[in-house]
Amino acid sequence: MSTSKIVVCPHCHRPNRVPEARLGDQGRCGHCQQVLFDGTPTVLTAASFDRHIERSELPVVVDFWAPWCGPCRAMAPAFAAAARQLEPAFRLAKVNTEEEPSLAARFAIRSIPTLALFRQGKEVARQAGAIDGASLVRWVRSFD
C-alpha cells in the first residue's frame, strides 16, 4: 500500500495529496497547476501561514525576517540554497515581520532573523541569529 503526504501549494495555498514516492517528481498542484516544489522559499502571510503550518504533513522551516535587517539580508541566499537542498523533505518559508507583525507577535519573535521549525502544526525548534548555509541544513536535518 502506497503512503502519501499532504503538501500545501506554495502558490494557491491549497492542500494536495502526493504519494511519498512521487514527492521529488516535480508534481503540480491539482488546483492551480503550478509546481509544488520549485526550490525557493514560500512567502507566508497571516492569511496563508496557518494553512501551511497546520495542514502540511511536511515539516516547515520559517525564517522570520525584515528587509531592514542586515543579517537577514546576508542569510537570505543561504536560506534559498537550503530550500533547494532540503525540498521535498521540508518546506522552507519566509515571514516578513514588518508586513506581518501579528505573526511576529504571535510567536514572540524578539530578534531577527529567527528560524522556527514546525511539525504537525506545532513549533518544535527555534534558532535565533543568522547562520551559514551548511549549518542551516545541518540544523534542519537534525530534526528529520
Side-chain angles (χ1 to χ4, degrees), residues 1 6 10 30-31 44 46 49 55-56 85-86 93 103 117 119 122:
M1 177 178 201
I6 300 293
H31 305 282
L44 298 181
F49 187 89
R55 294 293 311 271
S56 178
Q85 289 180 14
L86 295 167
L103 288 174
L117 176 70
R119 188 182 299 270
K122 296 188 177 18

Side-chain angles (χ1 to χ4, degrees), residues 19-137:
E20 281 190 58
R22 310 255 349 249
L23 281 173
D25 291 352
Q26 293 299 324
R28 295 190 172 273
C29 175
H31 305 282
C32 72
Q33 301 305 309
Q34 298 275 356
V35 294
L36 292 172
F37 297 102
D38 61 7
T40 61
T42 301
V43 175
L44 298 181
T45 63
S48 62
F49 187 89
D50 286 334
R51 182 164 289 184
H52 282 266
I53 299 305
E54 294 172 5
R55 294 293 311 271
S56 178
E57 292 181 350
L58 299 177
V60 180
V61 180
V62 179
D63 175 16
F64 290 92
W65 72 287
W68 52 262
C69 168
C72 298
R73 289 193 318 267
M75 192 177 81
F79 194 77
R84 290 187 293 276
Q85 289 180 14
L86 295 167
E87 284 184 355
F90 295 87
R91 170 76 72 203
L92 273 68
K94 294 180 80 67
V95 170
N96 181 337
T97 58
E98 290 292 298
E99 294 177 358
E100 305 298 338
S102 64
L103 288 174
R106 178 175 157 193
F107 292 99
I109 302 301
R110 303 280 183 248
S111 64
I112 52 175
T114 292
L115 300 174
L117 176 70
F118 295 87
R119 188 182 299 270
Q120 298 174 338
K122 296 188 177 18
E123 183 179 341
V124 296
R126 185 176 283 213
Q127 165 74 42
I131 58 176
D132 65 83
S135 298
L136 193 153
V137 169

Side-chain angles (χ1 to χ4, degrees), residues 8-24:
V8 178
C9 177
H11 307 285
C12 72
H13 310 292
R14 303 221 10 219
N16 291 262
R17 184 171 299 282
V18 180
E20 281 190 58
R22 310 255 349 249
L23 281 173

